[in-house]
Amino acid sequence: AQSVTQLDSQVPVFEEAPVELRCNYSSSVSVYLFWYVQYPNQGLQLLLKYLSGSTLVKGINGFEAEFNKSQTSFHLRKPSVHISDTAEYFCAVSVWDTGRRALTFGSGTRLQVQP
Amino acid sequence: GAGVSQSPSNKVTEKGKDVELRCDPISGHTALYWYRQSLGQGLEFLIYFQGNSAPDKSGLPSDRFSAERTGGSVSTLTIQRTQQEDSAVYLCASSPTLDTGELFFGEGSRLTVL
């Protein structure tokens, strides 16, 4: 079975500072990796995804993530955050499991951007 | 509409009552998922539909929970004899393909059981 660990439940950061949200996963098979963002009172929307190819993937709103197979990590980064980036961020791993795509989410990291 | 539509957006009910939550996925999406998000928690998988295959119900927390998907499109999640611990946001998501697992989410139905 696969699992996803987001080590930080909350990350406070000042506006225009860089940020890294950590995600580690475990799986015995190959994975696809995702970051989703949830703004207050909204559903989740896809921020970025790693399927194959370059291990550095770029997403919307200036976010990027790097797939590190040896470290089984997929950390999310942004060089300069804005107040509007305040949201909950979920890392997810997708594997093919007994005839279906199984998608497992981490517990989420709340990013709080302060002025 | 272009996105996943869920209704009602908010539902307040009394303990012991039954509730139905509806999800209208993006047209043409074959896969449909239900998740539960409790306050301050991550996403808990409930049930998965794929085409005409038997649904994966492995995440349903009790036999009070059931779901169906009619005509491969609209889905209804039913909670019978609601309990206070059922209070949560119920999220529906659909996916156009099995290939990646990328999901498109609705805005959720917030259920409050008094």
Side-chain angles (χ1 to χ4, degrees):
Chain A
Q2 63 281 352
S3 66
V4 179
T5 302
Q6 293 183 243
L7 294 169
D8 306 303
S9 59
Q10 293 189 63
V11 173
V13 63
F14 288 108
E15 193 174 19
E16 297 183 6
V19 70
E20 178 179 84
L21 305 184
R22 295 180 294 170
C23 173
N24 288 87
Y25 69 93
S26 67
S27 175
S28 58
V29 297
S30 62
V31 299
Y32 295 148
L33 294 158
F34 304 84
W35 276 98
Y36 286 85
V37 59
Q38 185 179 33
Y39 298 104
N41 299 313
Q42 295 186 26
L44 281 71
Q45 64 182 81
L46 183 68
L47 200 56
L48 50 77
K49 61 186 175 185
Y50 171 78
L51 304 181
S52 64
S54 173
T55 56
L56 182 64
V57 292
K58 294 186 183 297
I60 61 172
N61 301 338
F63 283 92
E64 64 180 31
E66 185 159 19
F67 171 52
N68 188 319
K69 189 174 182 179
S70 62
Q71 301 286 327
T72 61
S73 67
F74 191 54
H75 301 331
L76 181 70
R77 302 185 183 100
K78 186 170 183 177
S80 176
V81 295
H82 302 288
I83 295 288
S84 59
D85 293 323
T86 295
E88 187 93 20
Y89 292 80
F90 292 94
C91 182
V93 62
S94 168
V95 302
W96 192 257
D97 180 17
T98 58
R100 74 169 180 92
R101 271 284 165 192
L103 192 65
T104 303
F105 286 85
S107 56
T109 298
R110 183 169 297 278
L111 177 64
Q112 298 168 309
V113 182
Q114 303 164 6
Chain B
V4 176
S5 178
Q6 291 189 245
S7 61
S9 55
N10 278 286
K11 175 71 175 180
V12 180
T13 190
E14 294 178 346
K15 177 182 174 181
K17 299 283 189 182
D18 297 351
V19 296
E20 285 190 351
L21 307 177
R22 175 190 167 103
C23 173
D24 200 343
I26 294 172
S27 178
H29 281 198
T30 58
L32 187 148
Y33 298 75
W34 282 98
Y35 287 87
R36 179 168 69 176
Q37 185 177 26
S38 302
L39 188 63
Q41 302 296 312
L43 274 71
E44 176 188 4
F45 167 75
L46 296 177
I47 189 168
Y48 161 78
F49 296 90
Q50 172 57 42
N52 295 321
S53 302
D56 178 351
K57 305 178 182 180
S58 60
L60 294 178
S62 78
D63 58 8
R64 296 186 296 105
F65 287 73
S66 63
E68 63 177 18
R69 188 179 184 191
T70 54
S73 180
V74 172
S75 176
T76 302
L77 177 69
T78 302
I79 309 172
Q80 295 178 310
R81 305 181 302 282
T82 52
Q83 303 294 313
Q84 288 185 331
E85 60 263 28
D86 299 335
S87 296
V89 176
Y90 289 83
L91 291 167
C92 176
S94 67
S95 177
T97 174
L98 284 176
D99 291 347
T100 66
E102 177 181 345
L103 301 184
F104 295 77
F105 283 85
E107 295 198 348
S109 292
R110 182 178 298 277
L111 174 65
T112 303
V113 182
L114 301 177

